[in-house]
Amino acid sequence: MTRPRILFLSHSHVFGDFRVGSHHYARELAHLDVEVVHLSTPLSLAHRVTGRVSRAAADAVPTRPFRDDDGVTHVVPRTLLPRPWGRFRVRGFLERLGIGTLFDAVLIDQPLLWDDSVRGLADTLIYRPTDLYPDGVKRSLQTRIVAASDAVVATSGAVLRDLGRLTIPSLVIENGVDLAAFPAPAADAEARPAACVYVGALDSRFDWDRTRSWAGRNPGIRFIIAGPDPAPPVPLPDNVELRGAVHYADLPDLLQGARVGLLPLSDDPSNAGRSPMKLHEYLAAGLAVVSRETPGIGQDPDAGIYVYDSPERADAALAAALRHPSPNIAGRRVAENHTWTAKTRELTTFVSGLADA
């Protein structure tokens, strides 16, 4: 029997510090004996020359297909110009590498990887939007992808609604957690240190002012901020530690040294559509969570999730999270219902239904 083949066209490669949904789906599918190819946004010469991609980051990415220990084949194209400019086409690139171009399904979450050759790579094309694209080239390409797709699997209800009225099957599967990567906290373990931690991107979606305010009002508590190229636009109190990028494999050790996981989301409109992976990773590691309220993140004190929608509520939410039982065993139980294994089962059931329709 021929193994099923699935191609992911993703916004992020696996050779950096972050893990994204397509990486986890690819791993889980490979464990189900699916042949998985994961192709991510090309590294362009223009990005390297202008410094948007550092020499070290580029050197860490293989120039040839790389098959990982789970059996997933990762490919990261090298191009002269960034997508969608230049002559790069997905089918032609795969053919030049000797990778077969007939797949059972293609899942695309990076609009910039769309070209007319993608539709012919599989009978089933699924758009898996992970973000809001209000305008610009990604919005335009997204419209073309939706028109060509057989179905949509969005990471949040807000992202799905932003696509407008659809005439194709659709589903929301929020991001999950690789539970095996985060050891379960012992129920009789001592309370964690009174420290707060954030791990993730430090771009316009991160609220530096909120972080500064929290730290200034709580001088006896450590605030650990981990993310690539930290460049705070405001001066920070001495109890804020900037750790720089933390590799995914080192994340559990970092989280086990804190009591509260932070999601200080800014008022950037894109945050309304996010399904932060860190929410369930924090919970899996036994942390309480404090987050700005979004359509996808609501208050759940029993699980140790506290949200805010104003400066006053932000301080109260942090205080409540710090008082929550530590380690957060109830939060770990919630995370156990959001594993990538379960998410993958839901995805494969949906995709199989499309093929049978």
Side-chain angles (χ1 to χ4, degrees):
M1 183 176 178
T2 304
R3 293 172 65 199
R5 301 186 76 227
I6 288 183
L7 171 66
F8 284 91
L9 299 178
S10 173
H11 53 75
S12 299
H13 61 71
V14 77
F15 303 103
D17 296 308
F18 293 127
R19 294 295 176 269
V20 299
S22 62
H23 302 156
H24 294 291
Y25 279 128
R27 179 193 67 245
E28 294 293 335
L29 287 166
H31 291 173
L32 296 174
D33 200 31
V34 175
E35 183 183 347
V36 182
V37 177
H38 187 282
L39 189 155
S40 54
T41 309
L43 291 179
S44 74
L45 178 61
H47 281 148
R48 298 197 295 278
V49 168
T50 59
R52 288 188 61 185
V53 176
S54 70
R55 176 69 178 270
D59 288 346
V61 179
T63 58
R64 300 289 299 171
F66 177 85
R67 186 178 177 88
D68 67 18
D69 292 340
D70 295 304
V72 179
T73 299
H74 297 272
V75 286
V76 185
R78 295 296 211 280
T79 60
L80 291 176
L81 298 174
R83 290 294 297 150
W85 298 277
R87 302 175 62 181
F88 176 84
R89 295 293 182 270
V90 173
R91 178 188 286 275
F93 176 74
L94 293 174
E95 288 175 342
R96 288 193 294 275
L97 292 177
I99 296 175
T101 57
L102 181 60
F103 295 89
D104 293 279
V106 172
L107 291 95
I108 178 171
D109 65 53
Q110 170 57 291
L112 295 179
L113 281 171
W114 175 256
D115 67 67
D116 291 340
S117 75
V118 172
R119 174 63 269 194
L121 296 174
D123 290 335
T124 302
L125 173 66
I126 299 171
Y127 180 42
R128 200 180 73 84
T130 63
D131 213 339
L132 297 174
Y133 304 115
D135 50 36
V137 65
K138 287 187 178 181
R139 181 75 179 192
S140 176
L141 289 168
Q142 176 176 259
T143 300
R144 293 168 59 186
I145 296 170
V146 171
S149 292
D150 300 295
V152 170
V153 177
T155 53
S156 73
V159 166
L160 182 62
R161 289 190 294 273
D162 185 62
L163 299 179
R165 183 177 178 274
L166 297 175
T167 59
I168 54 177
S170 63
L171 182 67
V172 172
I173 305 180
E174 295 180 349
N175 284 322
V177 59
D178 179 11
L179 204 65
F182 299 88
D188 59 351
E190 293 184 3
R192 302 277 179 82
C196 303
V197 63
Y198 169 83
V199 181
L202 296 172
D203 53 22
S204 63
R205 298 170 296 179
F206 181 83
D207 190 343
W208 284 105
D209 286 327
R210 168 49 39 212
T211 305
R212 177 182 62 172
S213 178
W214 274 332
R217 289 173 179 269
N218 298 274
I221 295 173
R222 294 167 59 219
F223 286 78
I224 304 162
I225 309 300
D229 304 319
V234 294
L236 300 172
D238 292 340
N239 56 327
V240 178
E241 303 175 17
L242 301 179
R243 290 287 185 91
V246 173
H247 194 274
Y248 184 76
D250 299 322
L251 183 57
D253 286 342
L254 176 64
L255 297 185
Q256 286 176 7
R259 186 178 299 181
V260 174
L262 302 175
L263 288 172
L265 308 177
S266 72
D267 57 6
D268 189 300
S270 67
N271 276 326
R274 291 181 68 189
S275 173
M277 217 171 299
K278 288 297 173 289
L279 172 63
H280 293 119
E281 291 177 346
Y282 288 158
L283 295 176
L287 279 67
V289 178
V290 58
S291 172
R292 182 170 183 161
E293 187 173 21
T294 73
I297 305 177
Q299 183 93 344
D300 188 351
D302 290 341
I305 303 173
Y306 302 89
V307 301
Y308 61 91
D309 59 6
S310 67
E312 295 77 20
R313 287 195 63 191
D315 291 330
L318 178 60
L322 287 165
R323 291 193 303 268
H324 190 84
S326 175
N328 181 12
I329 303 300
R332 169 73 182 199
R333 295 194 190 103
V334 169
E336 289 171 354
N337 294 321
H338 292 273
T339 66
W340 283 112
T341 301
K343 306 284 183 183
T344 302
R345 277 199 304 268
E346 189 175 2
L347 178 66
T348 54
T349 298
F350 181 70
V351 174
S352 297
L354 296 173
D356 295 338

